[in-house]
Amino acid sequence: MILYGIPTCDTCRKAKKALEAAGHQVTLRDVRAEPLSGDEIAEFVGIFGERIVNRASTTWRGLSEAERAAPVPDLLAAHPTLMKRPLIRGAQLTLGWDKAAQAAQGL
């Protein structure tokens, strides 16, 4: 199971802890240290669309209107922390850590 996120994200830490407590072996992939590839970005945007961009993030608030208008794949390539977190590749590919995502991952 791969959890895409950043180690300082509280939600990512909660998700990792809960998944490990449920017996899953979880690898945290720090998207700052190891950015998503073009193929990964295309896959995730194809599945989640605009929802993959966290418009409540500090990174988003720091962007100019011109930068915000860029296509989603370009935004994620330039600013990996704009990705809503966590994105989990496990039983299913899920985005976020709400009840639906937890249920999809077997919790």
Side-chain angles (χ1 to χ4, degrees):
M1 181 174 284
I2 302 172
L3 188 149
Y4 298 86
I6 56 176
T8 56
C9 172
D10 287 339
T11 306
C12 292
R13 288 194 296 240
K14 286 178 195 173
K16 186 174 188 287
K17 185 176 179 180
L19 291 165
E20 288 174 340
H24 298 284
Q25 185 173 348
V26 182
T27 300
L28 172 65
R29 175 154 164 211
D30 182 347
V31 296
R32 271 189 270 187
E34 188 182 343
L36 299 174
S37 70
D39 289 343
E40 289 169 324
I41 291 172
E43 175 189 6
F44 299 155
V45 171
I47 293 168
F48 300 112
E50 296 276 329
R51 291 185 317 129
I52 198 161
V53 177
N54 182 358
R55 288 182 169 78
S57 72
T58 304
T59 304
W60 177 260
R61 290 190 302 263
L63 297 177
S64 69
E65 286 301 316
E67 289 171 311
R68 291 179 182 181
V72 172
D74 295 348
L75 281 170
L76 293 178
H79 306 281
T81 58
L82 274 178
M83 182 184 78
K84 183 174 175 139
R85 302 178 299 265
L87 193 152
I88 302 169
R89 186 183 299 275
Q92 295 180 28
L93 194 61
T94 59
L95 184 63
W97 191 240
D98 58 10
K99 298 265 186 227
Q102 291 172 32
Q105 296 302 337
L107 301 182

